[in-house]
Structures are given as C-alpha cells and as structure tokens.
Amino acid sequence: KVVVDKKVYKINFAKLKKKLKLPVKGKVLYKYNAKRWDTGTRWKGLFIKAKEGSNVKSVAAGQVVFSDWLRGFGNIIIIDHGKSYMSLYGNNDSLLKQKGEYIKGGEIIALSGNSGGNKYNGLYYELRHNGKLEFFLNGPNKKNSVSNKMQIYKSFKATKSMFIKKNTLPRS
C-alpha cells in the first residue's frame, strides 16, 4: 500500500489567482458566458480546442474526487484542491487518474478528445469555489476582459505618444 503525505497537496489556491496556465495546449474557442452553437445556452467554463490525444494537465495539486463519464461532460475528472476549490476537466478521450488519487500540479491526468459531444476535439474546463465559477486565468470574465483591454489600450496609447515625441525629427 502506498502512503501519501497529504501535506504536500495542501496549497493556498486563492494565491494562484491570475497565475494558472491552461490545462492543455490549444486555442480557447469558447469563454465563459459565450452562447453555445448547439443548444443556445451559455458556456459555464472554457472550451479549449486541442488535438485529439493531447496531454491534459492538472492546474494545481489536489485529490481526484470524480473520474468517469458524465452526461453533458463526457469523460470528466474533478480535482479537489482544498478549501472548497475544484477544477473540472471534461470532453476527454481517456482518463488517466482514478477517484482518490493525489495529483501534483502539472501532472498529466487525461488525454483530450470528444467524449462530450462537442463540435471540436478539445477540453472543457471549469474552476469552482464553493460551487460557484471562478476566474483564475486572464480574460474569461467579461468584466475583467473589458478592463484589461482598456488598460492595454491606455498603455499602448501612452507608449505610442512617448515614442512619437522621442523620435520626432526636427524640421529644417
């Protein structure tokens, strides 16, 4: 029997805000609250288009609390990160971890696919705290996206203005 030091898996998930990487290499096709093409309902997480069989990695350490097929999600893994934080990884082709296993951050937990009946191969991903959706990546929240775009625009405008002033040639 394997003895697991559970202290290794205790993390302060709240400190990871805006620092998490996507769990699979690919392109984010659908963000939170975007309208679904098939049902007209809204996405409650991210859908990341990825090649079939791509490695799906846990965004942080935790314990697998669910690893099976679930209607609407396909093959899904749910990881409990402690203090009521959970991550969900759905639409997978293969699940590589079982309920009860402890996972390190960045560990491969599944292979992406299309078991959830989506239009594309890829991964459906959610992060939840106390059962409610959380945003730990830059951009999926509409409010954050707008403010981030405004900050980027203001920064670009200021940089452009400084560049023009510094590089203006004197008139002869």
Side-chain angles (χ1 to χ4, degrees), residues 127-149:
L127 256 172
R128 295 188 170 266
H129 183 239
N130 291 322
K132 295 180 182 176
L133 208 56
E134 284 282 326
F135 300 103
F136 279 67
L137 301 164
N138 289 322
N141 184 325
K142 221 174 195 179
K143 183 179 176 185
N144 286 345
S145 291
V146 171
S147 69
N148 286 344
K149 285 177 185 174

Side-chain angles (χ1 to χ4, degrees), residues 29 55 76 84 145:
L29 284 187
N55 291 335
I76 183 171
S84 300
S145 291

Side-chain angles (χ1 to χ4, degrees), residues 2 7 14 23 30 46 56 59 95 115 167:
V2 178
K7 290 178 190 172
Y30 304 109
L46 299 177
V56 176
V59 294
L95 304 174
S115 62
N167 293 305

